[in-house]
Structure formats: C-alpha cells, structure tokens
Amino acid sequence: MSSRHDAVASGPVQQNDPESASAHGRRSRRVLGFPSPTVSEAATIGSVPTLLLLCHFLLQPAVAAWPRLGYVRHAVARDAPPHRLAPELFVEYAWWWHEFTRVTHAVVHDPSGFHAHVVGNVVLIVTAAWILLGLLTALGERRWFSFFYWELVVVAPIVGSYAFDLFGTTAHGYGASTVGFAFLGLVLVFGLSVLATHVHRYLGRRSESARRLTTDGGEVVDPVAVLCLVTAVGLVVVADLLAGSPATPVHQAGAGFGLFVGVVALPALGRRR
C-alpha cells in the first residue's frame, strides 16, 4: 500500500516536461549573479569580441590594406583621391568601397598600435551582452537574445557612420565602440522595464520578499541591483557625452540606436507576456 502511494506521488515528478526542467536548470546556474549562458549563447557573446581581437592582433598588422576597411568621413572622402579610400584592386570602385566600409569599420581599430581601445571595446561588448542576456531572461524573453545581439552588431556601425558624417571631427572613424554603446542603450531600456513592469509586485509586500521580485522569466531579481545597474549605465553614457571626445558622436549614436531598438521592441515583448 505504501509503495503504491509512493509510486503515485512520484508520478508527476517523472512526467515533468523536459523543457521546463531544462529551463529550471538554466535558471539555477548563475555566474556572478548573471544567468549562466548556454553553449550557443556563450558562442554568440564571444563571437564578435573574438573577431575584433583576431583582426586587430593578426590581420591588421599582416594585411597592408586592412586600414582601408575603416570609414573615411563623407566630407573628407568627397575630396580624397580614390587610392586613399580603397585598396589598389578596388580603386576603380572607390566610392562603392567607401559605402561598404560603413559596415566594415567596426573590425578596424586605430592602426597606431594603441591596444587599450580594442581591449576596452571587447570588455564592453562582452559585459553588456551578458547583462542583456540576464535582463531578457528576467523578462521571460531569453529566446530573443541572439536576434538583438546581431541586430546591434550589424546595424549600429552603419548608424554610427552617418553620425560620424554629421558630427565627426577626424578623418577616420572606427565603429566597434558604437556597437558597445548600442548594447548599453538597450540594457538601459530593458533594465528600466524590469523595474517598471514589476514594481507593484514588491512595493506592497511587508515581508522580506519585498526586497526582491520574481519576474515573468521565473528569475528572482534584486531591484536594488537592477537600479544600480541602470544608474551605472546611464552615468557612463552621460559621462561620455560630457567628455566630448572625438569618438563621442559615434558613441552617442550607438547608445541612441540601442535606446530606439529597446523602445520599439518593448510593446512587442509586452504582448507576449
């Protein structure tokens, strides 16, 4: 009788949905407070930073024409000789090459050998992408991570090139930092969404659970940590604006693009919850 009761009691556990169990397992694995990425997600996060490092330390020193993948500001390019815009093989199509570099300039850094810039961009992209994964997990929209990642990586450099045309002060522009700041803009929107969408879930509670909230993704989130994160991201963007460096136009264009993507995406994500 007892064994029969035990078998019945254990039935639902054995019949649990494997996907639900897998999702629960992912939520339980955390690194430094962030959800541990799957192998596919980790590959996505590391893909562009790895490409940037390979290009900077291996290809750029070895290929003489590599700097031609950088973007020349439109006002400068208009009066520049064709050989300054394109490699020798493509001089005849120099203006088409110039437009092509609106996309490729993200894989070129200042060829002076100053390595801190590329390393800083790599750290920025990896950190911001990981935080983005955490926020999407908290919102129950983790499956959209790869879509947002590649949208920012592909489109942000193009947006940055036009901002460079309008507000740039140097001849050449390099767009990896535009991608990093685009991630910051998107993190800012989704971080505020995590707070705003669920604020009523903890404001009215009187127990210790009021200090944390459970989101639609099943994640337990400390709202103070999210608030600190959003504040830090906002301060970075504002500090860059106030610094007014030659790279500020493309940084702010990237952040603005990330904000735009987030604001446009929120209604669609909200309808699915």
PDB file of all heavy atoms in Angstrom, residues 174-199:
ATOM      1  N   TYR A 174      36.168  54.522 -36.450  1.00  0.00           N
ATOM      2  CA  TYR A 174      36.224  53.092 -36.172  1.00  0.00           C
ATOM      3  C   TYR A 174      35.024  52.753 -35.292  1.00  0.00           C
ATOM      4  O   TYR A 174      34.820  53.371 -34.251  1.00  0.00           O
ATOM      5  CB  TYR A 174      37.542  52.737 -35.484  1.00  0.00           C
ATOM      6  CG  TYR A 174      38.751  53.314 -36.212  1.00  0.00           C
ATOM      7  CD1 TYR A 174      39.391  54.464 -35.744  1.00  0.00           C
ATOM      8  CD2 TYR A 174      39.209  52.731 -37.379  1.00  0.00           C
ATOM      9  CE1 TYR A 174      40.473  54.999 -36.420  1.00  0.00           C
ATOM     10  CE2 TYR A 174      40.292  53.263 -38.066  1.00  0.00           C
ATOM     11  CZ  TYR A 174      40.918  54.397 -37.583  1.00  0.00           C
ATOM     12  OH  TYR A 174      41.975  54.930 -38.279  1.00  0.00           O
ATOM     13  N   GLY A 175      34.255  51.732 -35.715  1.00  0.00           N
ATOM     14  CA  GLY A 175      32.905  51.588 -35.180  1.00  0.00           C
ATOM     15  C   GLY A 175      32.648  50.554 -34.114  1.00  0.00           C
ATOM     16  O   GLY A 175      31.499  50.338 -33.746  1.00  0.00           O
ATOM     17  N   ALA A 176      33.674  49.869 -33.578  1.00  0.00           N
ATOM     18  CA  ALA A 176      33.401  48.842 -32.573  1.00  0.00           C
ATOM     19  C   ALA A 176      32.794  49.447 -31.311  1.00  0.00           C
ATOM     20  O   ALA A 176      31.915  48.842 -30.680  1.00  0.00           O
ATOM     21  CB  ALA A 176      34.683  48.088 -32.226  1.00  0.00           C
ATOM     22  N   SER A 177      33.243  50.634 -30.926  1.00  0.00           N
ATOM     23  CA  SER A 177      32.699  51.267 -29.729  1.00  0.00           C
ATOM     24  C   SER A 177      31.238  51.667 -29.922  1.00  0.00           C
ATOM     25  O   SER A 177      30.471  51.731 -28.961  1.00  0.00           O
ATOM     26  CB  SER A 177      33.527  52.494 -29.340  1.00  0.00           C
ATOM     27  OG  SER A 177      33.669  53.377 -30.428  1.00  0.00           O
ATOM     28  N   THR A 178      30.840  51.911 -31.176  1.00  0.00           N
ATOM     29  CA  THR A 178      29.427  52.189 -31.453  1.00  0.00           C
ATOM     30  C   THR A 178      28.571  50.990 -31.077  1.00  0.00           C
ATOM     31  O   THR A 178      27.485  51.139 -30.504  1.00  0.00           O
ATOM     32  CB  THR A 178      29.217  52.515 -32.945  1.00  0.00           C
ATOM     33  OG1 THR A 178      30.161  53.505 -33.340  1.00  0.00           O
ATOM     34  CG2 THR A 178      27.811  53.014 -33.200  1.00  0.00           C
ATOM     35  N   VAL A 179      29.055  49.794 -31.374  1.00  0.00           N
ATOM     36  CA  VAL A 179      28.339  48.570 -31.014  1.00  0.00           C
ATOM     37  C   VAL A 179      28.242  48.438 -29.496  1.00  0.00           C
ATOM     38  O   VAL A 179      27.179  48.120 -28.950  1.00  0.00           O
ATOM     39  CB  VAL A 179      29.044  47.339 -31.620  1.00  0.00           C
ATOM     40  CG1 VAL A 179      28.354  46.050 -31.165  1.00  0.00           C
ATOM     41  CG2 VAL A 179      29.063  47.423 -33.133  1.00  0.00           C
ATOM     42  N   GLY A 180      29.350  48.690 -28.812  1.00  0.00           N
ATOM     43  CA  GLY A 180      29.333  48.597 -27.354  1.00  0.00           C
ATOM     44  C   GLY A 180      28.336  49.540 -26.730  1.00  0.00           C
ATOM     45  O   GLY A 180      27.579  49.156 -25.816  1.00  0.00           O
ATOM     46  N   PHE A 181      28.279  50.781 -27.203  1.00  0.00           N
ATOM     47  CA  PHE A 181      27.336  51.745 -26.644  1.00  0.00           C
ATOM     48  C   PHE A 181      25.904  51.423 -27.056  1.00  0.00           C
ATOM     49  O   PHE A 181      24.959  51.763 -26.329  1.00  0.00           O
ATOM     50  CB  PHE A 181      27.719  53.163 -27.052  1.00  0.00           C
ATOM     51  CG  PHE A 181      28.682  53.818 -26.112  1.00  0.00           C
ATOM     52  CD1 PHE A 181      30.032  53.501 -26.152  1.00  0.00           C
ATOM     53  CD2 PHE A 181      28.249  54.735 -25.163  1.00  0.00           C
ATOM     54  CE1 PHE A 181      30.931  54.086 -25.269  1.00  0.00           C
ATOM     55  CE2 PHE A 181      29.128  55.324 -24.277  1.00  0.00           C
ATOM     56  CZ  PHE A 181      30.480  55.001 -24.324  1.00  0.00           C
ATOM     57  N   ALA A 182      25.709  50.768 -28.197  1.00  0.00           N
ATOM     58  CA  ALA A 182      24.361  50.323 -28.571  1.00  0.00           C
ATOM     59  C   ALA A 182      23.846  49.302 -27.560  1.00  0.00           C
ATOM     60  O   ALA A 182      22.671  49.329 -27.178  1.00  0.00           O
ATOM     61  CB  ALA A 182      24.375  49.739 -29.977  1.00  0.00           C
ATOM     62  N   PHE A 183      24.728  48.399 -27.120  1.00  0.00           N
ATOM     63  CA  PHE A 183      24.342  47.446 -26.082  1.00  0.00           C
ATOM     64  C   PHE A 183      23.968  48.173 -24.788  1.00  0.00           C
ATOM     65  O   PHE A 183      23.009  47.798 -24.102  1.00  0.00           O
ATOM     66  CB  PHE A 183      25.471  46.455 -25.821  1.00  0.00           C
ATOM     67  CG  PHE A 183      25.485  45.280 -26.756  1.00  0.00           C
ATOM     68  CD1 PHE A 183      26.413  45.204 -27.779  1.00  0.00           C
ATOM     69  CD2 PHE A 183      24.571  44.252 -26.611  1.00  0.00           C
ATOM     70  CE1 PHE A 183      26.430  44.133 -28.648  1.00  0.00           C
ATOM     71  CE2 PHE A 183      24.580  43.165 -27.476  1.00  0.00           C
ATOM     72  CZ  PHE A 183      25.509  43.105 -28.500  1.00  0.00           C
ATOM     73  N   LEU A 184      24.711  49.222 -24.448  1.00  0.00           N
ATOM     74  CA  LEU A 184      24.394  49.981 -23.236  1.00  0.00           C
ATOM     75  C   LEU A 184      23.012  50.611 -23.332  1.00  0.00           C
ATOM     76  O   LEU A 184      22.242  50.616 -22.369  1.00  0.00           O
ATOM     77  CB  LEU A 184      25.451  51.061 -22.996  1.00  0.00           C
ATOM     78  CG  LEU A 184      26.857  50.596 -22.628  1.00  0.00           C
ATOM     79  CD1 LEU A 184      27.757  51.799 -22.348  1.00  0.00           C
ATOM     80  CD2 LEU A 184      26.843  49.668 -21.422  1.00  0.00           C
ATOM     81  N   GLY A 185      22.681  51.166 -24.499  1.00  0.00           N
ATOM     82  CA  GLY A 185      21.359  51.762 -24.671  1.00  0.00           C
ATOM     83  C   GLY A 185      20.249  50.748 -24.512  1.00  0.00           C
ATOM     84  O   GLY A 185      19.228  51.008 -23.861  1.00  0.00           O
ATOM     85  N   LEU A 186      20.436  49.559 -25.080  1.00  0.00           N
ATOM     86  CA  LEU A 186      19.414  48.514 -24.972  1.00  0.00           C
ATOM     87  C   LEU A 186      19.316  48.003 -23.543  1.00  0.00           C
ATOM     88  O   LEU A 186      18.205  47.740 -23.040  1.00  0.00           O
ATOM     89  CB  LEU A 186      19.752  47.372 -25.931  1.00  0.00           C
ATOM     90  CG  LEU A 186      18.652  46.327 -26.174  1.00  0.00           C
ATOM     91  CD1 LEU A 186      17.370  46.988 -26.671  1.00  0.00           C
ATOM     92  CD2 LEU A 186      19.135  45.275 -27.171  1.00  0.00           C
ATOM     93  N   VAL A 187      20.450  47.851 -22.874  1.00  0.00           N
ATOM     94  CA  VAL A 187      20.447  47.437 -21.465  1.00  0.00           C
ATOM     95  C   VAL A 187      19.695  48.454 -20.618  1.00  0.00           C
ATOM     96  O   VAL A 187      18.947  48.081 -19.699  1.00  0.00           O
ATOM     97  CB  VAL A 187      21.900  47.265 -20.966  1.00  0.00           C
ATOM     98  CG1 VAL A 187      21.962  47.263 -19.443  1.00  0.00           C
ATOM     99  CG2 VAL A 187      22.501  45.980 -21.517  1.00  0.00           C
ATOM    100  N   LEU A 188      19.870  49.728 -20.904  1.00  0.00           N
ATOM    101  CA  LEU A 188      19.186  50.766 -20.143  1.00  0.00           C
ATOM    102  C   LEU A 188      17.668  50.630 -20.261  1.00  0.00           C
ATOM    103  O   LEU A 188      16.933  50.699 -19.272  1.00  0.00           O
ATOM    104  CB  LEU A 188      19.637  52.139 -20.644  1.00  0.00           C
ATOM    105  CG  LEU A 188      19.159  53.367 -19.850  1.00  0.00           C
ATOM    106  CD1 LEU A 188      19.649  53.300 -18.415  1.00  0.00           C
ATOM    107  CD2 LEU A 188      19.659  54.635 -20.518  1.00  0.00           C
ATOM    108  N   VAL A 189      17.172  50.404 -21.473  1.00  0.00           N
ATOM    109  CA  VAL A 189      15.728  50.273 -21.683  1.00  0.00           C
ATOM    110  C   VAL A 189      15.176  49.032 -20.992  1.00  0.00           C
ATOM    111  O   VAL A 189      14.177  49.098 -20.260  1.00  0.00           O
ATOM    112  CB  VAL A 189      15.401  50.219 -23.186  1.00  0.00           C
ATOM    113  CG1 VAL A 189      13.919  49.922 -23.410  1.00  0.00           C
ATOM    114  CG2 VAL A 189      15.758  51.540 -23.852  1.00  0.00           C
ATOM    115  N   PHE A 190      15.821  47.888 -21.188  1.00  0.00           N
ATOM    116  CA  PHE A 190      15.304  46.657 -20.609  1.00  0.00           C
ATOM    117  C   PHE A 190      15.482  46.628 -19.089  1.00  0.00           C
ATOM    118  O   PHE A 190      14.682  46.027 -18.370  1.00  0.00           O
ATOM    119  CB  PHE A 190      15.983  45.444 -21.245  1.00  0.00           C
ATOM    120  CG  PHE A 190      15.514  45.164 -22.650  1.00  0.00           C
ATOM    121  CD1 PHE A 190      16.283  44.406 -23.518  1.00  0.00           C
ATOM    122  CD2 PHE A 190      14.322  45.678 -23.119  1.00  0.00           C
ATOM    123  CE1 PHE A 190      15.862  44.151 -24.811  1.00  0.00           C
ATOM    124  CE2 PHE A 190      13.878  45.436 -24.414  1.00  0.00           C
ATOM    125  CZ  PHE A 190      14.655  44.667 -25.256  1.00  0.00           C
ATOM    126  N   GLY A 191      16.538  47.287 -18.590  1.00  0.00           N
ATOM    127  CA  GLY A 191      16.694  47.394 -17.141  1.00  0.00           C
ATOM    128  C   GLY A 191      15.567  48.199 -16.515  1.00  0.00           C
ATOM    129  O   GLY A 191      15.001  47.813 -15.487  1.00  0.00           O
ATOM    130  N   LEU A 192      15.226  49.315 -17.139  1.00  0.00           N
ATOM    131  CA  LEU A 192      14.095  50.108 -16.653  1.00  0.00           C
ATOM    132  C   LEU A 192      12.792  49.328 -16.774  1.00  0.00           C
ATOM    133  O   LEU A 192      11.903  49.447 -15.926  1.00  0.00           O
ATOM    134  CB  LEU A 192      14.004  51.414 -17.444  1.00  0.00           C
ATOM    135  CG  LEU A 192      15.100  52.444 -17.169  1.00  0.00           C
ATOM    136  CD1 LEU A 192      15.007  53.601 -18.158  1.00  0.00           C
ATOM    137  CD2 LEU A 192      15.010  52.961 -15.733  1.00  0.00           C
ATOM    138  N   SER A 193      12.685  48.506 -17.814  1.00  0.00           N
ATOM    139  CA  SER A 193      11.477  47.705 -17.987  1.00  0.00           C
ATOM    140  C   SER A 193      11.320  46.683 -16.875  1.00  0.00           C
ATOM    141  O   SER A 193      10.218  46.459 -16.369  1.00  0.00           O
ATOM    142  CB  SER A 193      11.509  47.003 -19.343  1.00  0.00           C
ATOM    143  OG  SER A 193      10.372  46.189 -19.514  1.00  0.00           O
ATOM    144  N   VAL A 194      12.425  46.053 -16.491  1.00  0.00           N
ATOM    145  CA  VAL A 194      12.374  45.083 -15.388  1.00  0.00           C
ATOM    146  C   VAL A 194      11.865  45.745 -14.120  1.00  0.00           C
ATOM    147  O   VAL A 194      11.050  45.188 -13.387  1.00  0.00           O
ATOM    148  CB  VAL A 194      13.766  44.455 -15.154  1.00  0.00           C
ATOM    149  CG1 VAL A 194      13.798  43.669 -13.852  1.00  0.00           C
ATOM    150  CG2 VAL A 194      14.138  43.547 -16.312  1.00  0.00           C
ATOM    151  N   LEU A 195      12.316  46.975 -13.880  1.00  0.00           N
ATOM    152  CA  LEU A 195      11.875  47.699 -12.683  1.00  0.00           C
ATOM    153  C   LEU A 195      10.432  48.183 -12.816  1.00  0.00           C
ATOM    154  O   LEU A 195       9.597  47.942 -11.933  1.00  0.00           O
ATOM    155  CB  LEU A 195      12.795  48.897 -12.431  1.00  0.00           C
ATOM    156  CG  LEU A 195      14.225  48.581 -12.000  1.00  0.00           C
ATOM    157  CD1 LEU A 195      15.035  49.868 -11.913  1.00  0.00           C
ATOM    158  CD2 LEU A 195      14.242  47.857 -10.661  1.00  0.00           C
ATOM    159  N   ALA A 196      10.127  48.845 -13.916  1.00  0.00           N
ATOM    160  CA  ALA A 196       8.816  49.481 -14.069  1.00  0.00           C
ATOM    161  C   ALA A 196       7.687  48.471 -14.201  1.00  0.00           C
ATOM    162  O   ALA A 196       6.608  48.645 -13.623  1.00  0.00           O
ATOM    163  CB  ALA A 196       8.826  50.419 -15.276  1.00  0.00           C
ATOM    164  N   THR A 197       7.924  47.399 -14.949  1.00  0.00           N
ATOM    165  CA  THR A 197       6.863  46.437 -15.205  1.00  0.00           C
ATOM    166  C   THR A 197       6.456  45.679 -13.954  1.00  0.00           C
ATOM    167  O   THR A 197       5.293  45.320 -13.771  1.00  0.00           O
ATOM    168  CB  THR A 197       7.315  45.434 -16.292  1.00  0.00           C
ATOM    169  OG1 THR A 197       7.687  46.155 -17.463  1.00  0.00           O
ATOM    170  CG2 THR A 197       6.197  44.467 -16.646  1.00  0.00           C
ATOM    171  N   HIS A 198       7.405  45.466 -13.070  1.00  0.00           N
ATOM    172  CA  HIS A 198       7.147  44.618 -11.908  1.00  0.00           C
ATOM    173  C   HIS A 198       7.197  45.363 -10.570  1.00  0.00           C
ATOM    174  O   HIS A 198       7.208  44.731  -9.515  1.00  0.00           O
ATOM    175  CB  HIS A 198       8.154  43.464 -11.882  1.00  0.00           C
ATOM    176  CG  HIS A 198       8.182  42.667 -13.143  1.00  0.00           C
ATOM    177  ND1 HIS A 198       7.198  41.777 -13.481  1.00  0.00           N
ATOM    178  CD2 HIS A 198       9.063  42.651 -14.169  1.00  0.00           C
ATOM    179  CE1 HIS A 198       7.472  41.229 -14.660  1.00  0.00           C
ATOM    180  NE2 HIS A 198       8.597  41.759 -15.096  1.00  0.00           N
ATOM    181  N   VAL A 199       7.215  46.689 -10.594  1.00  0.00           N
ATOM    182  CA  VAL A 199       7.396  47.434  -9.351  1.00  0.00           C
ATOM    183  C   VAL A 199       6.264  47.166  -8.359  1.00  0.00           C
ATOM    184  O   VAL A 199       6.479  47.122  -7.142  1.00  0.00           O
ATOM    185  CB  VAL A 199       7.515  48.947  -9.643  1.00  0.00           C
ATOM    186  CG1 VAL A 199       6.196  49.510 -10.196  1.00  0.00           C
ATOM    187  CG2 VAL A 199       7.969  49.711  -8.404  1.00  0.00           C
TER     188      VAL A 199
END
